[in-house]
Amino acid sequence: EGIAKAKFEIVKGLSEEGVKVSTIHGNFLEFSKKKSTKNALRIIDIIIDKVYNKTNLELELELLIVG
């Protein structure tokens, strides 16, 4: 549990192109107006890279992306 919590602490508040990782829970994304899936996928890639660079842990995306 400690490692999982640390992963999310690393990215809380991170933002990119109008998509932000929640400061309350690092497993939620917040969108400003009219942002697309492309914006969400970009920040997901940044999160995966940032967590790996800080912890050497590889996150796996648990979403099915269609389209």
Side-chain angles (χ1 to χ4, degrees):
E1 182 183 337
I3 292 172
K5 185 176 181 178
K7 290 187 297 191
F8 294 121
E9 291 299 322
I10 292 167
V11 298
K12 278 186 181 178
L14 179 71
S15 65
E16 177 78 20
E17 299 178 19
V19 181
K20 176 182 166 187
V21 179
S22 172
T23 56
I24 297 169
H25 192 297
N27 204 24
F28 289 94
L29 298 179
E30 301 170 353
F31 294 80
S32 57
K33 292 183 181 180
K34 297 185 181 180
K35 294 302 166 188
S36 68
T37 304
K38 181 179 102 177
N39 300 109
L41 294 175
R42 173 75 183 123
I43 199 164
I44 289 168
D45 286 340
I46 291 168
I47 291 166
I48 290 170
D49 289 343
K50 192 171 187 87
V51 169
Y52 180 77
N53 290 333
K54 293 267 187 175
T55 65
N56 209 33
L57 296 173
E58 292 185 35
L59 298 181
E60 292 183 26
L61 190 58
E62 295 179 349
L63 301 171
L64 175 60
I65 299 171
V66 179

